[in-house]
Amino acid sequence: MANNKFRSSDAFSRCVPMSSLQAVLSGKWKILILWYIAFYKVQRFGELQRRLDGITQSTLTKQLRELEVDGFIHREIYKEVPPKVEYTLTELGKSFIPVLNQMMAWSESHLCPADYVNPYADKMPEP
């Protein structure tokens, strides 16, 4: 991870590990973007946009670019017509999967109704 937003000098005046993580994950959709790419292994732009009901094209583009710059996802561009772009997790992104799984488990236990059935429970992503 070269020069990026969580290596700036003002980050050191705060709790560096949490400030770094917050800088990467800031953005309404980034956790869900990472979750869907982790779960499905490969996602195309249109697939992500359909899954993230309510996200605008410009917001999705911006947050995907930020996650790419921060080293969490890889963008593969295929030279065909129409253009095809696929997103996958990098090794850094894959190392974050256990955190995503813990966030899902915590949310199920503390934020979901008692009768909630998690459709992803049997197929949680693996690093």
Side-chain angles (χ1 to χ4, degrees):
M1 290 183 285
N3 288 332
N4 55 34
K5 64 188 170 196
F6 50 89
R7 298 279 185 198
S8 65
S9 60
D10 65 330
F12 294 107
S13 64
R14 302 179 299 272
C15 176
V16 175
M18 292 306 286
S19 295
S20 299
L21 183 60
Q22 183 181 19
V24 171
L25 297 179
S26 65
K28 179 178 177 179
W29 302 97
K30 285 185 181 177
I31 292 172
L32 282 171
I33 290 168
L34 289 171
W35 172 260
Y36 285 123
I37 295 173
F39 186 80
Y40 291 102
K41 309 292 186 222
V42 176
Q43 284 287 276
R44 293 180 62 185
F45 186 90
E47 292 171 325
L48 282 169
Q49 193 168 23
R50 282 187 292 280
R51 293 185 199 291
L52 301 167
D53 188 36
I55 194 169
T56 64
Q57 183 175 346
S58 62
T59 298
L60 179 55
T61 298
K62 180 178 185 267
Q63 296 203 353
L64 285 167
R65 285 182 183 159
E66 289 174 0
L67 286 167
E68 184 181 10
V69 167
D70 290 335
F72 276 71
I73 63 172
H74 171 73
R75 179 178 59 165
E76 184 72 30
I77 304 167
Y78 295 90
K79 302 208 184 306
E80 55 187 60
V81 178
K84 177 177 154 184
V85 179
E86 292 181 339
Y87 296 92
T88 56
L89 294 179
T90 61
E91 289 304 312
L92 179 64
K94 289 176 186 174
S95 74
F96 194 67
I97 290 174
V99 177
L100 292 169
N101 287 334
Q102 284 295 316
M103 291 170 72
M104 174 69 88
W106 184 89
S107 181
E108 279 183 303
S109 297
H110 295 88
L111 301 176
C112 293
D115 60 346
Y116 173 75
V117 177
N118 181 355
Y120 300 99
D122 295 342
K123 306 170 220 143
M124 298 292 272
E126 295 180 17

